[in-house]
Amino acid sequence: MSSPTRERAHLPECRHGRTRVTTAACDRKRKFHSLTRKSFKMAVPGFTVGAFILLLHLSSVVNYPSGKVTKSCHGMVPEHGHSPQSDPVHHISVSQTTFLPGDQIKVTLSGKPFKGFLVEARDAENLSGPPIGSFTLIDSEVSQLLTCEDIRGSAVSHTSPSKKTEVKVYWNAPSSTPNHIKFLVTVVEKYKIYWVKIPGPVISRPNVPPFTTPEATVAPMPTLSPISHLTKSFNASDCGNKKFCVRSPLNCDPAKELACVFLSFTRHDQSVMVEMSGPSEGYLSFALSHDRWMGDDDAYMCIREDQIVHIQPSRLTGRSHPIMDSKDSLEDMAWRLADGVMQCSFRRNITLPGVKNRFDLNASYYIFLAGGAADDGRIHKHSKQPLITYGKYNVTGSPKNIGGSHSLLILKVHGALMFVAWMTTVSIGVLIARFFKPVWPKPLFGDAAWFQVHRGLMLTTSAFTFIAFLLPFIYRRGWNWHAGYHPFLGCTVMILAVLQLLLAAFRPPSHDPRRQMFNWTHWSVGTAARIIAVAAIFLGMDLPGLDLPGPWKTYAMIGFVAWHVGTEIVLEIHAYRLSRKVEILDDDRIQILQSCTVAEAEGHAFKKMVLAIYVCGNLTFLTMFLSAINHL
């Protein structure tokens, strides 16, 4: 990039990217936000801000910390995948035991500290029926009204996961009611500890037969298939022969490599045995999907809780938390924990008529593989972008051995083009415009050779940037609101790039009075574009759509910046010393012409050597990043 006083010019730089950024600074309360809330996390790699994404959290009646538990209205069962406790430690009391239509009765829930709750009133003689009446809040800070069975205010739930020991509300008796009303409550102490439909007192209308139906109790949970311990590790010996295998890295063996992520399907008549293995201290999961987007998918999770692994079917609904389903469809469940590797297996039928949310396994699907942290049986966002197969596959068809990618091809091309544009073409173009005017002044196709090279490199940069700029919009079919600051920086750089092209197109002649203003504007806009582009690159490397592995990427990018800045400093010092040498020769008036020519020739040779070394180093950095993108 040229100094305005020396009339060195260059074309602009641009950068754009995509994906979801989550803030790691959220406190515990925001960590439990509702399904529609997204998380943001920020990190600082070196001197710039890095960004990361979130797709998954798991919730409940603590999974829904905002209390929006309308989906649980009918059964009043949290979607946790754990069994409820059997001995209640909370109870409900009422201000009176009889009521008339229009009466308002105070209902109090109390007991050990709890985080979530759901209170309803039901017909005591038909507890599986719809809720009766409506509630009025006493303290809207801790409780809120829900609409269940299309009845507004027919249930009360929590507003936050903060601990509470008592909740009071009013129940409003409707004009038409059954003779007897029973209050029921589900209470969540923490994710895996909760009580379902704790029975409260029965209140009755006056002058009706006494309530004699035995108190209903919580229906026992279905008997689950026993879970056993695996005695040895899975192996990949039958992949492509008897097993349909998905592996990352391709051809890895979980019996030999701890870092191997492994998923296999083995057909046995009308059932399929599934094996999943990978390094994880929290959970592993896979999902069958009709497309490359998360949502409306059939998912299976192996979740670590202390020294136990829970195997849990679930369903994904868009970019929201997984919803746990019944384990009834799974058999022969087993698991193993060893050396930081989690392994689990289960069997399920190929088709499951009448079972909701489970896909038939005799069709073709994209396969997702993901893992992440878990706390007390509750999963958090997956630690990196899921591995997604390159195409749809039928896992019950002919055995295959396939791999996948953590980044889609369109996003890989986006990243590769941006790296080429902003690490190589623009950097070399800037150096040539700034330091090589006197080195290559001879005409080439009508203009100085240095200018033709500079212009060619900058036009290449602009073309690559424009193409790469469009790719995330094509992929997302619009703007991505989950990518943090990266797309905003990219758009800013793109705007500056277009402005630079317009400035270059209307550049005044060298002796025009406006040339000085042009030089300053061109230099300022270009410098701003380069700085913002570097920040966008740092952010883009950590976004889930690309997410280059390991911390090395940050150090490599810092190394590249230092390499480029160091080269500019060397050439600046050399240019200064050369100018001083020529001035001294001129003052002494000794063989002025010959000495100046020799000094300039030596200076040109030095500049060419520095440029050659710089280009070699630049291409080395570029190759590192392109290779990493290729291996995603």
Side-chain angles (χ1 to χ4, degrees):
M1 185 169 307
S2 64
S3 166
T5 57
R6 298 171 66 178
E7 296 188 7
R8 294 188 167 92
H10 74 94
L11 293 180
E13 309 169 25
C14 309
R15 179 73 171 131
H16 175 72
R18 65 174 289 276
T19 103
R20 151 166 121 99
V21 180
T22 60
T23 173
C26 292
D27 58 19
R28 186 168 181 81
K29 177 176 178 181
R30 292 192 60 185
K31 186 177 176 183
F32 283 94
H33 259 195
S34 62
L35 288 176
T36 56
R37 190 65 67 93
K38 308 295 187 294
S39 300
F40 294 87
K41 177 180 179 183
M42 304 190 68
V44 180
F47 55 88
T48 61
V49 182
F52 297 88
I53 155 133
L54 165 62
L55 296 176
L56 285 169
H57 271 259
L58 188 63
S59 37
S60 57
V61 178
V62 161
N63 200 13
Y64 293 84
S66 64
K68 303 293 187 181
V69 292
T70 307
K71 289 184 178 180
S72 297
C73 279
H74 179 70
M76 300 184 70
V77 179
E79 296 172 327
H80 291 212
H82 295 274
S83 299
Q85 304 298 305
S86 57
D87 298 321
V89 293
H90 306 84
H91 65 276
I92 298 177
S93 60
V94 294
S95 58
Q96 61 191 66
T97 58
T98 60
F99 70 94
L100 292 171
D103 280 357
Q104 196 170 63
I105 298 174
K106 181 183 288 187
V107 180
T108 303
L109 167 64
S110 59
K112 289 177 58 179
F114 55 93
K115 294 182 178 180
F117 66 90
L118 177 63
V119 178
E120 295 183 20
R122 301 277 181 97
D123 182 349
E125 297 175 332
N126 180 23
L127 293 180
S128 62
I132 304 297
S134 63
F135 290 90
T136 299
L137 301 180
I138 294 177
D139 185 355
S140 60
E141 292 294 320
V142 297
S143 57
Q144 63 182 323
L145 300 178
L146 298 181
T147 299
C148 294
E149 304 287 340
D150 296 324
I151 304 172
R152 178 173 295 183
S154 58
V156 183
S157 70
H158 54 284
T159 58
S160 75
S162 60
K163 290 185 177 182
K164 46 197 89 52
T165 57
E166 185 178 77
V167 174
K168 295 181 179 181
V169 294
Y170 288 112
W171 178 73
N172 306 306
S175 58
S176 176
T177 64
N179 290 335
H180 308 283
I181 298 294
K182 178 184 282 290
F183 293 95
L184 301 175
V185 62
T186 289
V187 178
V188 175
E189 182 178 310
K190 60 181 182 178
Y191 181 76
K192 65 179 180 179
I193 300 178
Y194 57 89
W195 295 261
V196 174
K197 288 186 178 179
I198 299 172
V202 174
I203 60 173
S204 305
R205 299 181 67 167
N207 304 319
V208 298
F211 177 67
T212 57
T213 303
E215 287 196 355
T217 58
V218 178
M221 295 296 287
T223 301
L224 302 177
S225 300
I227 300 179
S228 60
H229 292 273
L230 295 167
T231 56
K232 60 180 181 179
S233 175
F234 302 141
N235 65 77
S237 60
D238 289 329
C239 287
N241 183 20
K242 296 180 180 179
K243 296 179 178 180
F244 183 101
C245 296
V246 182
R247 293 187 276 176
S248 179
L250 188 64
N251 298 324
C252 68
D253 190 337
K256 301 175 182 178
E257 303 170 52
L258 298 180
C260 180
V261 177
F262 174 84
L263 176 66
S264 73
F265 302 85
T266 307
R267 180 168 182 168
H268 298 284
D269 194 18
Q270 295 304 308
S271 67
V272 173
M273 191 68 187
V274 180
E275 298 173 333
M276 182 162 53
S277 174
S280 177
E281 295 296 331
Y283 73 93
L284 290 174
S285 66
F286 78 91
L288 305 175
S289 179
H290 295 289
D291 52 36
R292 291 178 175 270
W293 295 90
M294 291 182 123
D296 301 321
D297 303 329
D298 182 5
Y300 301 84
M301 299 186 175
C302 298
I303 306 170
R304 180 173 180 172
E305 183 182 350
D306 298 326
Q307 295 302 310
I308 298 175
V309 175
H310 299 281
I311 301 172
Q312 185 70 55
S314 62
R315 64 187 185 274
L316 304 179
T317 56
R319 288 175 170 265
S320 59
H321 311 300
I323 300 174
M324 298 304 177
D325 291 328
S326 169
K327 301 179 183 179
D328 292 351
S329 59
L330 307 186
E331 300 175 349
D332 300 337
M333 292 181 286
W335 58 270
R336 178 175 181 265
L337 292 172
D339 302 320
V341 174
M342 180 188 300
Q343 296 187 329
C344 61
S345 63
F346 61 87
R347 182 188 304 277
R348 60 149 285 187
N349 289 337
I350 294 175
T351 60
L352 294 168
V355 179
K356 294 179 61 178
N357 307 315
R358 303 281 75 83
F359 293 175
D360 290 345
L361 299 184
N362 52 12
S364 296
Y365 307 99
Y366 289 102
I367 302 172
F368 289 62
L369 266 168
D375 177 23
D376 198 24
R378 184 186 65 255
I379 71 169
H380 299 284
K381 78 176 186 73
H382 46 73
S383 52
K384 63 185 301 185
Q385 185 81 349
L387 180 80
I388 307 175
T389 55
Y390 296 110
K392 289 184 176 182
Y393 295 93
N394 183 344
V395 298
T396 60
S398 58
K400 288 183 173 62
N401 183 35
I402 65 171
S405 174
H406 290 281
S407 181
L408 298 180
L409 178 61
I410 192 171
L411 299 181
K412 288 184 177 181
V413 174
H414 165 80
L417 288 176
M418 287 300 189
F419 274 113
V420 172
W422 299 107
M423 286 190 67
T424 301
T425 57
V426 76
S427 300
I428 297 174
V430 166
L431 291 180
I432 287 175
R434 185 172 181 82
F435 299 105
F436 287 81
K437 287 182 179 179
V439 178
W440 293 313
K442 294 183 179 180
L444 178 65
F445 302 114
D447 280 305
W450 73 266
F451 181 74
Q452 295 286 34
V453 174
H454 168 76
R455 180 164 58 186
L457 289 170
M458 292 305 182
L459 288 176
T460 300
T461 298
S462 298
F464 283 0
T465 300
F466 181 73
I467 295 171
F469 180 85
L470 294 178
L471 294 180
F473 290 97
I474 295 172
Y475 168 62
R476 282 286 178 186
R477 300 184 182 95
W479 182 264
N480 179 14
W481 294 103
H482 310 298
Y485 296 109
H486 180 73
F488 294 98
L489 294 180
C491 287
T492 301
V493 176
M494 192 73 229
I495 292 171
L496 294 176
V498 173
L499 180 59
Q500 281 285 66
L501 287 174
L502 294 175
L503 286 172
F506 295 98
R507 180 183 60 173
S510 57
H511 300 295
D512 192 288
R514 297 170 297 170
R515 184 59 179 255
Q516 189 72 6
M517 180 180 295
F518 165 82
N519 288 339
W520 274 108
T521 305
H522 188 64
W523 178 84
S524 300
V525 173
T527 300
R530 293 182 67 197
I531 293 172
I532 298 172
V534 169
I537 289 175
F538 272 103
L539 291 173
M541 293 190 300
D542 283 325
L543 292 178
L546 196 61
D547 194 19
L548 296 181
W552 68 267
K553 61 181 181 290
T554 300
Y555 300 121
M557 195 64 200
I558 292 174
F560 161 73
V561 173
W563 179 257
H564 182 84
V565 172
T567 300
E568 287 208 27
I569 291 173
V570 169
L571 289 174
E572 283 285 3
I573 293 173
H574 172 263
Y576 173 76
R577 295 187 64 183
L578 180 62
S579 64
R580 292 291 299 159
K581 183 176 182 180
V582 171
E583 288 177 5
I584 292 172
L585 289 172
D586 182 60
D587 290 340
D588 292 343
R589 301 183 181 278
I590 302 174
Q591 299 180 345
I592 299 173
L593 184 60
Q594 181 179 357
S595 298
C596 287
T597 303
V598 171
E600 289 178 356
E602 292 175 352
H604 294 175
F606 179 80
K607 286 183 178 180
K608 292 176 182 178
M609 180 186 68
V610 171
L611 180 63
I613 295 173
Y614 171 79
V615 170
C616 290
N618 183 293
L619 293 177
T620 299
F621 283 109
L622 178 64
T623 302
M624 290 170 59
F625 285 106
L626 294 183
S627 177
I629 292 174
N630 182 58
H631 285 88
L632 288 175

